Amino acid sequence: MSALPTPVRAPEDTRPAAGVQQTLARCRALVTPALRETVAGAHPWIGEMAAYSFGWCEVGGAPSGSSGGKGVRQALAVLGAEAAGAPGRAAVPGAVAVELVHAFSLLHDDIMDGDEARRRRPTVWKAYGTGPAVLAGDALFGLAVEALADAGAPAVRLLSRALGDLVRGQADDLLFASRPWTGPDRVRPREYRAMAEHKTGALLGCAVALGAVLGGAPPATVAALDRAGRHLGVAFQAVDDVLGIWGDPAVTGKPVHGDLRERKKTFPVLAALDSPAAGELSALLESAAAPATLADLIDRAGGRTAALAEARQHVTAARAALESVPLAAGPAAELRSLLDFVVRREV
């Protein structure tokens, strides 16, 4: 098995990971009670599926010891408000809304991709059925809009725009699967970058920008934070693509070379197809070649290096966006640390 990828580190960030974990825990403690209260207001069956998707319960409703995720989007929203000089609690409605939209998108995404496991558990559609999972996703989206009902038009508009971009990114991602590996119609890295910004970056940008809006930040600050989150999303996706090929299954919870086995058009593959190895690689991709053989060729062709360089570039751009506007020093430092943490994660 290939070695794990070199960690992606943002320049000049020496803050310990423990500090980021404390930030995430603090923000989860602030947001989770409101998130649970919102989910509890749904139909009991819907509420159970939602709670299962968050890792709070097992099928049937029994309490679960599963991890509910790190809460990165919650933290981005809270830090967005604090960076604008407001208390973190101002961002709670936005954090709840973004977390619900994220959960809704994952429920539907798992169905579209046919993914049967998430966080080492059956996905909602595998556990409850496709129809119920679609219904639960729809309900979560409705709850997200309701969570922002009293926040005003700018907040709702931000969430709506992010959702539109997310859908656009998902559409492009689905269409990529039917496009050829070579020729004028092949997927280019720049197209993949735009897809990642929409599918992954839009909601990260929305989270931190929404916190800023709810914290009373001026438009320039809101726009800069949204831009930083979108760059973070591209970096996140690039690292996720590396882990999808070379990550350790014991750490990621995904099978080794899983993305190659499914012949997914991820950034390392597309970058390698821009190298002199393109002819050999495209032929192997269209054959029954073993994923390990493909992984080795992609690595030698520079695909892994290109993906990690892409992540570093977008972390740098995200930092530049943060530095382009005045922000409260402490929350801004926590945001910079969170950028690095997200892209050098192991799961």
Side-chain angles (χ1 to χ4, degrees):
M1 182 175 66
S2 299
L4 284 172
T6 303
V8 180
R9 297 190 180 278
E12 300 178 3
D13 192 343
T14 58
R15 291 170 61 88
V20 178
Q21 295 288 2
Q22 290 168 3
T23 296
L24 292 171
R26 174 176 69 83
C27 295
R28 284 197 305 268
L30 188 62
V31 174
T32 299
L35 181 61
R36 284 182 174 268
E37 182 180 358
T38 301
V39 170
H43 183 285
W45 188 39
I46 298 292
E48 180 189 317
M49 286 187 280
Y52 176 86
S53 73
F54 284 119
W56 302 338
C57 75
E58 302 293 351
V59 175
S64 169
S66 298
S67 167
K70 295 180 178 68
V72 168
R73 289 160 190 81
Q74 299 174 36
L76 285 171
V78 171
L79 291 174
E82 292 176 345
R89 64 177 177 274
V92 169
V96 168
V98 168
E99 197 70 9
L100 290 169
V101 167
H102 178 56
F104 138 73
S105 71
L106 293 182
L107 262 63
H108 287 189
D109 194 45
D110 287 340
I111 293 169
M112 286 183 279
D113 292 346
D115 289 340
E116 299 186 359
R118 181 175 291 279
R119 295 176 186 150
R120 301 179 177 86
R121 299 200 305 167
T123 50
V124 174
W125 74 269
K126 284 298 292 184
Y128 290 89
T130 301
V134 171
L135 183 63
D138 293 345
L140 288 175
F141 173 63
L143 290 173
V145 175
E146 185 178 352
L148 281 183
D150 297 326
V156 175
R157 192 176 298 116
L158 256 180
L159 186 69
S160 176
R161 187 184 72 161
L163 179 61
D165 281 349
L166 189 156
V167 171
R168 177 187 295 271
Q170 179 66 25
D172 286 338
D173 195 24
L174 289 174
L175 288 170
F176 286 172
S178 62
R179 289 172 62 179
W181 294 108
T182 59
D185 293 330
R186 70 182 176 91
V187 180
R188 307 290 177 138
R190 67 176 181 274
E191 295 178 272
Y192 188 87
R193 189 179 295 117
M195 180 278 295
E197 180 193 333
H198 290 140
K199 183 178 177 181
T200 306
L203 206 54
L204 293 176
C206 177
V208 66
L210 198 49
V213 165
L214 296 175
T221 299
V222 173
L225 292 177
D226 184 26
R227 194 162 62 249
R230 285 171 178 262
H231 281 298
L232 175 60
V234 180
F236 182 101
Q237 189 61 57
V239 174
D240 203 54
D241 289 348
V242 169
L243 294 175
I245 296 176
W246 295 284
D248 183 352
V251 177
T252 65
K254 301 176 181 179
V256 66
H257 302 148
D259 283 355
L260 288 179
R261 190 170 290 105
E262 298 176 24
R263 297 299 196 263
K264 289 186 177 180
K265 292 183 174 70
T266 59
F267 196 93
V269 178
L270 299 177
L273 286 169
D274 267 347
S275 77
E280 180 184 0
L281 178 57
S282 62
L284 288 174
L285 286 164
E286 293 171 353
S287 73
T293 301
L294 290 168
D296 181 64
L297 179 55
I298 292 166
D299 200 3
R300 287 188 284 110
R304 171 159 38 177
T305 299
L308 294 176
E310 181 79 7
R312 293 188 186 96
Q313 177 183 339
H314 284 279
V315 167
T316 299
R319 281 174 167 267
L322 294 179
E323 292 166 2
S324 69
V325 290
L327 301 172
E334 288 183 281
L335 279 170
R336 288 193 297 270
S337 296
L338 193 58
L339 294 178
D340 182 47
F341 173 80
V342 167
V343 297
R344 62 177 170 79
R345 74 202 187 282
E346 292 184 313
V347 292

